Amino acid sequence: MKQITIAIDGHSSCGKSTMAKELARRVGYIYVDTGAMYRSVTLYALRNKLFREDGTILTDQLEAQMPQIHITFQLNAETGRPDTYLNGECVEQQIRSLEVSNHVSPIAALPFVRTAMVTQQQQMGQGGGVVMDGRDIGTVVFPHAELKVFVTASAEVRAQRRYDELQQKGMPADYADILKNVQERDYIDSHREVSPLRQADDALLLDNSHMTIAEQNEWLMKRFEERCKD
């Protein structure tokens, strides 16, 4: 069977990564979490004090240091899922913090950051057999992907999911702060000048506000099987 490229885009905290990881596991494809890549750049910027006190970015310094930022994914033998590595260090837990969430959208909007990440993503996805999720996979990274899905859910549902996830991990969480963050990220992601978040013309729309994880996984699996038969 021909190996295809699968692009899953959508709003923050709508379950894209969960869907993509599970599909990749079931069909034996490579999974790339592009959101984790932008979060890793954000973590790097926070650690290296590249944010001013008012939240603006020291863009010249970050751009000069971009060649030093290398992001990879390694399979976690215990979870069966890939973990994110920043310059050889596993940062899977650190990049999911609310501090990173609050800073990632302006980092992801920088043209030089997107150019660097898209180059790394395209290298990872050469030859098909890849599931990639993010904000611009079907529109910019892989515009010719055989299967494109755009995922969404209400901001309130997404905030609750994010809150529950942080609670389960034993990390501090406040629902009101998370909802505000989700709404702000939606606006920034949809209005940035470079590669704004939008549904590709040939993408399938999935609103999973009222779906279980199992239901959305089965929906995606059926779309995959249909596309492979075409």
Side-chain angles (χ1 to χ4, degrees), residues 6-12 14-16 19 34 114 132-142 145 147-152 192 196-200 203-206:
I6 302 164
I8 301 178
D9 291 310
H11 294 97
S12 67
C14 63
K16 299 185 304 296
M19 293 175 64
T34 62
R114 301 204 71 83
M132 195 172 291
D133 73 271
R135 301 287 194 282
D136 60 354
I137 312 306
T139 54
V140 176
V141 182
F142 292 117
L147 175 58
K148 300 179 186 179
V149 177
F150 189 89
V151 191
T152 189
R192 63 176 177 239
L197 171 66
R198 68 176 181 83
Q199 181 180 345
L204 303 174
L205 178 64
L206 173 63

Side-chain angles (χ1 to χ4, degrees), residues 5-35:
T5 299
I6 302 164
I8 301 178
D9 291 310
H11 294 97
S12 67
S13 302
C14 63
K16 299 185 304 296
S17 297
T18 299
M19 293 175 64
K21 289 175 183 177
E22 179 60 16
L23 180 64
R25 185 192 67 78
R26 290 176 69 176
V27 303
Y29 276 23
I30 297 168
Y31 166 70
V32 178
D33 180 354
T34 62

Side-chain angles (χ1 to χ4, degrees), residues 188-203:
I188 294 172
D189 290 344
S190 300
H191 289 80
R192 63 176 177 239
E193 292 184 11
V194 180
S195 304
L197 171 66
R198 68 176 181 83
Q199 181 180 345
D201 294 337
D202 54 347

Side-chain angles (χ1 to χ4, degrees), residues 92-202:
E92 187 64 32
Q93 179 121 344
Q94 294 92 320
I95 62 174
R96 308 298 174 182
S97 69
L98 187 57
E99 182 183 23
V100 170
S101 295
N102 284 333
H103 290 83
V104 65
S105 286
I107 288 284
L110 294 171
F112 63 84
V113 172
R114 301 204 71 83
T115 297
M117 294 300 99
V118 167
T119 297
Q120 291 191 35
Q121 291 156 17
Q122 289 174 333
Q123 290 172 347
M124 293 176 189
Q126 289 177 348
V130 64
V131 184
M132 195 172 291
D133 73 271
R135 301 287 194 282
D136 60 354
I137 312 306
T139 54
V140 176
V141 182
F142 292 117
H144 303 296
E146 290 89 344
L147 175 58
K148 300 179 186 179
V149 177
F150 189 89
V151 191
T152 189
S154 72
E156 291 75 15
V157 166
R158 288 182 282 136
Q160 186 64 51
R161 289 173 180 170
R162 185 78 180 130
Y163 174 84
D164 292 342
E165 179 186 3
L166 291 172
Q167 286 280 292
Q168 290 171 4
K169 292 180 178 178
M171 300 173 70
D174 179 271
Y175 174 80
D177 288 343
I178 294 171
L179 177 59
K180 180 183 177 187
N181 172 255
V182 166
Q183 293 168 333
E184 289 176 345
R185 289 181 66 189
D186 284 354
Y187 183 85
I188 294 172
D189 290 344
S190 300
H191 289 80
R192 63 176 177 239
E193 292 184 11
V194 180
S195 304
L197 171 66
R198 68 176 181 83
Q199 181 180 345
D201 294 337
D202 54 347

